[in-house]
């Protein structure tokens, strides 16, 4: 799931992607991708499901409850044993089909845990992404950072990458240089970080975690691969730091309300996406308040009034 972007401050995105809806496409040795036909402003051409292995396989992010995608997935899996269903996070475009796939194959569902917000709701606050969250999801096995899942000729290692959601995991395919980065890092756009589901401080720490690794290629939850992870991660980090500076500049210039900041910072963005942009600004402000740089009366919220501390 992506955030609205303002081109001058964005990394070099790659929008070239052929989704091949309903068809298993080999993307690496022992790895296939099937893209769900659920395109949209936050999903690009659709959600990517990955099959890892040959005779005995793992399925990563089976996707939404979609009949055509389930049929395509079962056709691709015909004649193979599915031992594990790995779920990166619990947004409804990634996790719900895990239950049906488990019933059909007997595979074990592995993930960080059920859906939860990055922080408790403030008094009177509602979660704007509540309808997008799979509240029924519960894994058979909860994975912590660095936990491993092994199959016939493959090993997946969990990388805790909270930020987009509190329970977000990426999965490294050991010995290959491949990371399935889900919605944390995508080649086509920046990931949305929307409180209370997500947290900017967590997101930035997760970027640093990935930068400390030496991976060759990322296969994300939407769009095509990230072919130079270190350079792209540095670009994402710069983008977020520039966005933080833009928020601070608006507050110093006298903007006190998030809608006023959004109008200035996202002036070239489709106004229909300003609601999501406001959540992104709030995520930065939450982080700035926690650092003691920005002040507000009470907890940070979309309707808050902000000043430099």
């Amino acid at each position: 799931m992506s955030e609205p972007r303002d081109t001058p401050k964005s990394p070099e995105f790659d929008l070239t992607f052929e989704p091949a809806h309903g068809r298993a496409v080999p993307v690496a040795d022992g790895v296939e991708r099937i893209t769900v036909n659920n395109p949209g402003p936050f999903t690009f051409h659709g959600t990517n499901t990955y099959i890892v292995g040959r005779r005995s396989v793992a399925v990563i992010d089976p996707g939404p409850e979609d009949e055509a995608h389930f049929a395509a997935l079962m056709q691709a899996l015909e004649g193979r044993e599915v031992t594990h269903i790995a779920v990166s996070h619990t947004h409804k475009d990634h996790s719900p089909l895990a239950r049906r796939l488990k019933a059909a194959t007997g595979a074990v569902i592995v993930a960080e845990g059920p859906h939860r917000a990055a922080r408790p709701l403030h008094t009177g606050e509602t979660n704007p992404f509540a309808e997008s969250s799979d509240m029924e999801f519960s894994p058979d096995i909860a994975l912590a950072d660095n936990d491993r899942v092994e199959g016939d000729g493959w090993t997946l290692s969990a990388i805790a990458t909270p930020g987009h959601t509190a329970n977000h995991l990426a999965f490294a395919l050991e010995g290959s240089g491949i990371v399935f980065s889900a919605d944390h890092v995508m080649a086509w756009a920046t990931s949305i970080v929307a409180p209370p589901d997500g947290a900017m401080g967590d997101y930035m720490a997760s970027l640093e975690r990935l930068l400390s690794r030496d991976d060759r290629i990322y296969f994300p939850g939407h769009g095509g691969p990230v072919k130079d992870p270190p350079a792209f991660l540095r670009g994402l980090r710069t983008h977020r730091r520039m966005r933080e500076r833009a928020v601070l500049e608006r507050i110093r210039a006298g903007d006190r309300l998030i809608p006023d900041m959004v109008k200035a910072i996202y002036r070239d963005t489709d106004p229909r996406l300003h609601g999501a942009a406001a959540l992104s600004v709030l995520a930065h402000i939450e982080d700035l308040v926690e650092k003691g740089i920005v002040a507000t009366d009470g907890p940070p919220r979309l309707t808050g009034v902000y000043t430099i501390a």
Side-chain angles (χ1 to χ4, degrees):
M1 186 182 294
S2 76
E3 70 157 359
R5 61 179 180 267
D6 49 344
T7 304
K9 295 182 180 179
S10 296
E12 291 296 323
F13 295 114
D14 183 359
L15 301 179
T16 59
F17 178 65
E18 172 51 56
H21 294 132
R23 182 162 54 88
V25 177
V27 293
D29 186 30
V31 179
E32 298 164 88
R33 181 190 66 223
I34 307 178
T35 303
V36 188
N37 190 8
N38 63 333
F42 297 114
T43 58
F44 197 34
H45 291 293
T47 304
N48 293 330
T49 296
Y50 295 96
I51 302 170
V52 178
R54 292 183 173 82
R55 293 190 304 272
S56 176
V57 304
V59 174
I60 298 176
D61 282 351
E65 190 50 77
D66 181 282
E67 193 64 42
H69 183 63
F70 180 72
L73 186 54
M74 293 305 295
Q75 181 178 356
L77 294 170
E78 187 174 357
R80 297 192 278 184
E81 178 191 19
V82 183
T83 60
H84 295 83
I85 302 166
V87 172
S88 65
H89 66 294
T90 44
H91 280 154
K92 286 184 177 178
D93 58 323
H94 288 260
S95 60
L97 201 63
R99 294 183 283 276
R100 190 171 176 190
L101 186 60
K102 175 186 174 179
T105 64
V108 173
I109 299 175
V110 298
E112 193 270 354
H115 190 82
R116 68 183 189 280
R119 59 159 174 78
L121 286 171
H122 303 313
T123 302
E125 183 183 27
T126 58
N127 186 343
F129 278 95
E131 293 300 315
S132 302
S133 303
D134 183 4
M135 304 306 294
E136 298 178 20
F137 180 85
S138 182
D140 298 309
I141 298 174
L143 297 179
D145 190 33
N146 294 319
D147 280 354
R148 294 186 173 193
V149 175
E150 296 184 356
D152 182 16
W154 54 264
T155 299
L156 292 174
S157 180
I159 309 171
T161 46
H164 176 64
T165 61
N167 65 353
H168 195 286
L169 292 177
F171 296 99
L173 181 58
E174 293 294 320
S176 70
I178 292 171
V179 166
F180 300 94
S181 56
D183 283 9
H184 187 66
V185 180
M186 301 177 290
W188 75 284
T190 51
S191 175
I192 189 167
V193 180
D197 261 21
M200 189 58 68
D202 290 345
Y203 184 86
M204 296 300 288
S206 295
L207 283 184
E208 295 298 333
R209 169 76 198 285
L210 291 179
L211 272 164
S212 71
R213 296 175 53 88
D214 183 23
D215 298 304
R216 177 175 59 86
I217 192 169
Y218 289 175
F219 291 122
H222 307 275
V226 176
K227 298 174 182 177
D228 186 353
F232 196 79
L233 289 167
R234 288 191 294 270
L236 286 179
R237 183 174 61 185
T238 298
H239 167 81
R240 296 292 183 178
R241 288 174 175 172
M242 291 176 72
R243 178 63 47 75
E244 179 183 274
R245 285 198 294 272
V247 171
L248 282 171
E249 286 168 5
R250 294 315 310 165
I251 296 174
R252 291 191 180 107
D255 287 352
R256 297 290 174 256
L257 305 176
I258 287 178
D260 295 332
M261 300 177 208
V262 169
K263 287 176 186 176
I265 297 170
Y266 292 89
R267 57 185 175 274
D268 297 325
T269 299
D270 186 337
R272 293 175 298 176
L273 297 176
H274 279 192
L279 291 167
S280 180
V281 171
L282 175 60
H284 278 289
I285 287 177
E286 280 191 343
D287 192 36
L288 289 166
V289 169
E290 187 174 331
K291 293 174 180 175
I293 299 171
V294 168
T296 184
D297 184 12
R301 59 181 73 225
L302 285 170
T303 56
V305 178
Y306 300 99
T307 58
I308 297 297

